[in-house]
Amino acid sequence: MASGMELALMEARYAAERGEVPVGAVVLGPDGAVLAQAGNRVEELNDPSAHAEMLVMRAALQARGGQRLADCTLVVTLEPCPMCAAALAHFRVGRVLFGAYDPKGGGVEHGARLPFRAEALHRPEIIGGVRERESAALLKSFFQNLRQPGAGEESGRGG
Amino acid sequence: MASGMELALMEARYAAERGEVPVGAVVLGPDGAVLAQAGNRVEELNDPSAHAEMLVMRAALQARGGQRLADCTLVVTLEPCPMCAAALAHFRVGRVLFGAYDPKGGGVEHGARLPFRAEALHRPEIIGGVRERESAALLKSFFQNLRQPGAGEESGRGG
């Protein structure tokens, strides 16, 4: 069976094929079963908030009909941005595994470090750097292709 | 013609009638025309991220078919939480007017103060305290009713 991070990496690759910044995410239930999986759909949905994490947390709640994700694990290929980092608390996500660190755009281990702030409503268990190199390589290759003239359509998740 | 904040307050009242935490929001285009208006729908959609601000920013982009909201004003009855405060940057909102300050849950003038951080991608013009007392009174009355046994269904936007 594919691991959560393998599925998230697959979603990231699909996202790149759609011209989206390659980030993928999966929510696993308490028994490790996949509740939802999603990739970035910012361009497709014309929605700057349609990050993989937001889509997959929403889909996981719909899938289980529950109220929160306290017994679940969110697996995502990139360190969540501040919007997604704050949403982790709203969804009461129990555990987060992420791939590449994002020193510029991250909001978990970088920047505002929202889950670690005193006023945070909820703090998930957080494990970063899981298969970091594969996640980072996908992103690097995507942005290198964008910079080569004629190598693809101009994108821009815009942070 | 009703002002943006009047419409946002109306949306907050509708939200309370639906059993949602009473927060309402409006996006105004560069000419002051209403592009979208929304209230909280966390309970109805079973989506802890369905805050009025997220719904209205998404709807405004759909309405105008544009990419970003740099020439628009977001009007909201309560200081945005960190998730919504971070989303303001993703949507490149030009200006934010908010009603009541939220010392516990706010992420604009309180807590992480995301728009004012050095790494913020974009900083909207921000004006807080617009018709503050009316917004705060709506919230106070809503939570007082919740605490009175038999006075309504239990809610809980959960932050």
Side-chain angles (χ1 to χ4, degrees):
Chain A
M1 205 178 80
S3 75
M5 190 55 87
E6 267 172 74
L7 288 175
L9 284 162
M10 196 182 73
E11 286 289 347
R13 279 181 219 109
Y14 290 156
E17 285 169 18
R18 294 191 304 267
E20 305 274 353
V21 174
V23 180
V26 172
V27 171
L28 306 173
D31 55 355
V34 175
L35 289 175
Q37 54 192 87
N40 250 329
R41 293 194 182 268
V42 165
E43 304 299 325
E44 178 189 336
L45 302 177
N46 187 27
D47 175 1
S49 72
H51 291 191
E53 300 95 313
M54 300 295 279
L55 299 178
V56 84
M57 288 189 287
R58 234 180 268 147
L61 268 197
Q62 298 301 326
R64 69 190 327 214
Q67 284 296 302
R68 297 292 185 265
L69 301 173
D71 52 358
C72 297
T73 300
L74 172 73
V75 183
V76 55
T77 58
L78 181 65
E79 178 182 348
C81 78
M83 174 185 72
C84 296
L88 295 172
H90 290 314
F91 282 87
R92 302 285 191 274
V93 172
R95 201 160 69 123
V96 178
L97 303 190
F98 70 83
Y101 289 90
D102 188 355
K104 272 193 186 172
V108 173
E109 299 284 2
H110 296 93
R113 302 186 79 239
L114 290 166
F116 302 104
R117 293 187 59 89
E119 76 272 14
L121 296 160
H122 168 84
R123 182 182 305 172
E125 182 190 347
I126 292 167
I127 301 166
V130 181
R131 298 181 65 171
E132 182 180 1
R133 277 184 295 181
E134 282 160 272
S135 295
L138 271 174
L139 286 157
K140 195 175 167 189
S141 146
F142 180 80
F143 286 109
Q144 273 177 344
N145 284 339
L146 279 188
R147 278 193 291 271
Q148 283 166 6
E153 281 175 37
E154 189 66 32
S155 180
R157 160 169 151 175
Chain B
M1 204 179 78
S3 74
M5 190 55 87
E6 267 171 77
L7 288 175
L9 284 163
M10 196 183 72
E11 286 289 345
R13 278 181 220 111
Y14 289 157
E17 285 168 19
R18 294 190 303 267
E20 305 273 354
V21 174
V23 180
V26 172
V27 170
L28 305 173
D31 55 355
V34 176
L35 289 176
Q37 54 192 86
N40 248 328
R41 293 192 181 269
V42 165
E43 304 299 325
E44 178 188 337
L45 302 177
N46 187 28
D47 175 1
S49 72
H51 291 190
E53 301 94 314
M54 299 296 280
L55 300 177
V56 85
M57 288 189 288
R58 234 181 269 149
L61 268 197
Q62 299 300 326
R64 70 191 327 215
Q67 285 295 302
R68 296 292 185 265
L69 301 174
D71 52 358
C72 296
T73 300
L74 172 73
V75 184
V76 54
T77 58
L78 180 65
E79 178 183 347
C81 78
M83 174 184 72
C84 295
L88 295 171
H90 290 314
F91 282 88
R92 303 284 190 275
V93 172
R95 201 160 69 122
V96 179
L97 303 189
F98 70 83
Y101 289 89
D102 187 356
K104 273 192 185 171
V108 173
E109 300 283 1
H110 296 92
R113 302 185 80 239
L114 290 165
F116 301 103
R117 293 187 59 90
E119 75 272 16
L121 298 160
H122 168 85
R123 182 181 304 172
E125 181 189 350
I126 292 168
I127 302 165
V130 181
R131 297 180 64 172
E132 182 180 0
R133 278 184 294 181
E134 282 160 272
S135 296
L138 271 174
L139 286 157
K140 195 176 166 190
S141 145
F142 180 80
F143 286 109
Q144 274 177 343
N145 284 339
L146 279 188
R147 278 192 291 270
Q148 283 166 6
E153 282 175 38
E154 190 66 31
S155 180
R157 159 168 150 176

